[in-house]
Amino acid sequence: SGCGVTGLSQDTMVNLVALAPSLRVLDLSENEVGGHLGPLVTWLASYQDHHSLRTLNLNNVGLGDDGFAGLAPVMSVLQELYCSRNNITSNGLESLLRLDSFILLKALDLSHNAITEQGVHFLMDRFQQEQKRSLWNPNQRSSNIGKLVLAGNDLTPGAARSANAYAKIHLPLLQMIW
């Protein structure tokens, strides 16, 4: 966290992760990484059997919509993803979730971004789709999202109540933090 890593440090980050196969948590928060995570994301997705990384903290790294959408390949690897304060909008959220990548996340922090009611509804639908897939195919790994943090976004109290009501019915194990 806050150790001076920039987008230009990609090769070094990949080498460090490759040399530490038992690394479970990578905290790149408060660095100037921006949307330049391509080499790290590619390596993590390509060599899933060669690392133990399950938690990625990208709070306040300047991801934006494009950088967030670029995380799609690791959604089937990570269990926890922290992307607070990254200027992610509903469009960026939808871009990521429209890709047909499997989502394994148990915790997702999207607090203090620019996500609106439209993005929250899209997110709820996607998590419900993941849950339905697991019911139809019990052998398939499934997203059992347990914690979703959306505090500090552009959401009205009515949108929060509506999402909570939807989650109680369709995603009863989901804890939503507004």
Side-chain angles (χ1 to χ4, degrees):
S1 177
C3 56
V5 175
T6 67
L8 301 174
S9 308
Q10 286 297 304
D11 291 336
T12 303
M13 282 192 295
V14 171
N15 289 335
L16 289 172
V17 172
L19 290 171
S22 61
L23 180 70
R24 297 195 54 77
V25 177
L26 180 59
D27 185 353
L28 296 173
S29 65
E30 309 297 331
N31 285 290
E32 296 178 21
V33 176
H36 307 287
L37 290 168
L40 179 62
V41 168
T42 301
W43 188 90
L44 290 172
S46 299
Y47 297 98
Q48 294 181 28
D49 296 335
H50 301 290
H51 68 84
S52 301
L53 189 68
R54 296 297 176 258
T55 301
L56 183 58
N57 186 341
L58 298 172
N59 288 340
N60 199 25
V61 298
L63 276 179
D65 287 343
D66 292 337
F68 185 65
L71 296 174
V74 295
M75 289 301 195
S76 63
V77 176
L78 298 175
Q79 292 178 354
E80 297 179 24
L81 178 61
Y82 299 93
C83 291
S84 179
R85 298 179 316 278
N86 273 298
N87 298 318
I88 299 167
T89 68
S90 293
N91 292 335
L93 183 59
E94 287 183 38
S95 294
L96 173 76
L97 296 176
R98 282 190 196 283
L99 300 172
D100 196 29
S101 59
F102 175 75
I103 300 173
L104 183 64
L105 295 175
K106 294 187 186 306
L108 177 61
D109 183 351
L110 294 170
S111 61
H112 303 286
N113 283 293
I115 296 170
T116 62
E117 184 175 356
Q118 170 190 348
V120 172
H121 286 299
F122 197 86
L123 188 63
M124 296 288 107
D125 286 342
R126 179 57 194 267
F127 285 136
Q128 185 185 20
Q129 287 173 5
E130 293 286 335
Q131 186 178 37
K132 284 181 180 178
R133 284 183 193 169
S134 70
L135 293 174
W136 286 103
N137 184 358
N139 295 329
Q140 177 180 328
R141 296 185 307 167
S142 124
S143 174
N144 292 319
I145 187 79
K147 181 178 175 184
L148 177 62
V149 183
L150 292 166
N153 280 289
D154 298 330
L155 299 166
T156 64
R161 285 192 301 274
S162 172
N164 277 333
Y166 181 88
K168 278 185 181 178
I169 295 168
H170 300 287
L171 301 162
L173 301 177
L174 176 63
Q175 174 192 11
M176 296 180 72
I177 299 171
W178 304 97

